[in-house]
Amino acid sequence: MFRHSKNLYASIMLVLMLVVVLAGCTTATDKNKASDASAEPGKQSSAPAEKTLTISWPKDIGPLNPHQYTPNEFFAQGMYYEPLIGYGEGGKLVPKLAESWNISEDGKMYTFNLRKNVKFSDGSDFDANVVKKNFDTILANRDMHSWLGLISQIEKTEVVNANTFQITLKNRYYPALQEFAVVRPLRFLGAAGFPDDGNTAKSIKNPVTTGPWVLSEYKKDQIAVFTRNEQYWGTKPNINKLIVKVIPDGEARVLALEKGDIDLIYGEGVISLDSFVNLKKNDKFKTSVSDPVASRALIVNTAKGPFADLNVRLALQHAVNKKALVDGGTNGVEKMADTIISSNFPYANVGLKAYDYNVETAKALLDKAGWVLPAGKTVREKDGKPLEIELVYMGPDQIEKPMSAAMQSDLKQIGISLKTTGLERELRNKRMESADFDLLFWNTYGAPYDPHSFVSTNYEKGYGIFESQQGLPMKDTLHQQMKDVLLTVDEKERQKLYTSIFTTLHEQAVYLPLSYLTNIAVYPKYVTGLKFPAHRDETPFDLLDIQK
């Protein structure tokens, strides 16, 4: 029995050892299989880490109503909702929610072939019926949207079929396609987001979108959290979550970036240019500046006073040291402007020769105009009247004020006394609308609005620009060309008209272009993929990535 028990024990131990060995072999084999599987393309051993980008903005995003203005923020509406047509580099129009479009021979009927299989964030279909529902509420509030030329031109809208939508205009209006790309009000809310009466003028129920983001969390005046729309029809964002923190103060935004509380500062005028330059010197961050998105200029009043004389207007062009003005006023961030519309805009690259900074040329032009400098005096006179002019600027603006002071010094060198007047927005606008100024700071509208919005503002009464051009001998011809260019359907004729318009404005020195406005970006090195949109009011957030 003892021998039998001993043999049995030995047998049991042998079996146990074999089990352990086999288990070890199996474990090793399984690990190798797992390792091999993780190395295979398209397979992952674990879920990818969530990528979150945190940015700041001076104001709350607003209710995300695509058909409303303040308190909705442009950037939020632009990143959240989509248009029929997009605005690409160089003003090229690209398909968005419309795959393609056709224009009738008379230039009045626009037929849009809508993108198929597009869903709103609530799962409902994007189709011609919901497009019409959006246009119906927009057109029910024409007065609210009258600033956009297209709105007043729309005669009717029609659902041809589920994927085809048609718009008929009262007149030919070539900028129509460009205006379909604007951020507001021509973007699309899902049917479930509409109020019960169908009119979005006051409010919406929910921000239902076709876009790449959905709003997942919101605390007014504090934070808005957007998550990636996983059923988005287009290329989905690289990041999973976008957090927008409301930080009203520019210096506080800079501090938040330096502390790592935010990952990006982006936009136009969101921090001081002094701060931007300082951050540019910091090795922790990358900085970027966009191509021109609009122009900063002075409107010159040709209708009265000294600037009714072309020679005095030309003297102004040569007297202002724009390079020193822009370098000093913007720390070299903005670029000096030679023309009222930058050449990277459609129809604007017409080969105009810039006016050079030349004090002696400016003095000679004033002499020619009869403004002479009496012995022992510092201000020129004509018929016993001193050469005194006024420059109106926006009082709170941190760039216009120092630029005004610099121009005061420049004009003093040629015998002109410049009075600078800083006003709050409302008073400044009243002075502009009544053409009650000699010189006045003004910015163009930018992409995708220019150049057509620029010319329409010039020939339409009530803005103050038409009124300030009444001293031009060719004003009637000029303003007729501005009307004609918006109606022509012939591309060559349109370019010819624009060339004539820009040349006349330049040669008549109707504006003093100063600098080109830009968007800026500051971000740590782990943020990649930044590319500025051509559209002034859109953002690059869906292109960004996090590489930590």
Side-chain angles (χ1 to χ4, degrees), residues 468-482:
S468 71
Q469 293 175 2
Q470 292 307 295
L472 301 178
M474 71 295 292
K475 63 180 184 297
D476 293 337
T477 301
L478 174 66
H479 292 145
Q480 187 58 52
Q481 288 179 332
M482 290 176 172

Side-chain angles (χ1 to χ4, degrees), residues 453-508:
S453 291
F454 168 77
V455 300
S456 64
T457 305
N458 276 255
Y459 78 73
E460 290 181 2
K461 298 178 182 179
Y463 292 100
I465 300 178
F466 171 87
E467 290 78 5
S468 71
Q469 293 175 2
Q470 292 307 295
L472 301 178
M474 71 295 292
K475 63 180 184 297
D476 293 337
T477 301
L478 174 66
H479 292 145
Q480 187 58 52
Q481 288 179 332
M482 290 176 172
K483 294 176 184 178
D484 292 343
V485 77
L486 300 182
L487 300 177
T488 180
V489 293
D490 183 88
E491 189 72 18
K492 289 183 179 179
E493 178 63 19
R494 188 181 304 149
Q495 182 62 72
K496 182 179 177 181
L497 285 167
Y498 268 122
T499 299
S500 178
I501 291 166
F502 287 132
T503 300
T504 299
L505 292 173
H506 187 75
E507 292 178 347
Q508 290 295 312

Side-chain angles (χ1 to χ4, degrees), residues 17-62:
M17 289 175 66
L18 286 171
V19 169
V20 170
V21 170
L22 288 171
C25 291
T26 302
T27 303
T29 303
D30 289 345
K31 283 182 180 178
N32 288 334
K33 285 181 179 178
S35 177
D36 290 343
S38 66
E40 289 179 31
K43 293 187 178 181
Q44 294 180 337
S45 58
S46 60
E50 183 180 85
K51 295 180 179 181
T52 299
L53 182 81
T54 303
I55 69 167
S56 68
W57 203 257
K59 297 179 182 179
D60 183 78
I61 62 169

Side-chain angles (χ1 to χ4, degrees), residues 298-300 307 310-322 355-357 362 365-366 389 407 411 414 416 418 438-439 509-512:
L298 299 185
I299 303 172
V300 183
F307 291 124
L310 174 59
N311 285 313
V312 180
R313 300 197 299 272
L314 291 172
L316 175 71
Q317 301 287 328
H318 291 286
V320 175
N321 187 348
K322 290 198 288 189
Y355 291 104
D356 64 329
Y357 171 58
L365 286 163
L366 291 178
I389 58 177
M407 281 187 278
L411 296 187
I414 63 170
I416 296 179
L418 178 66
D438 296 314
L439 297 170
V510 175
Y511 293 94
L512 177 61

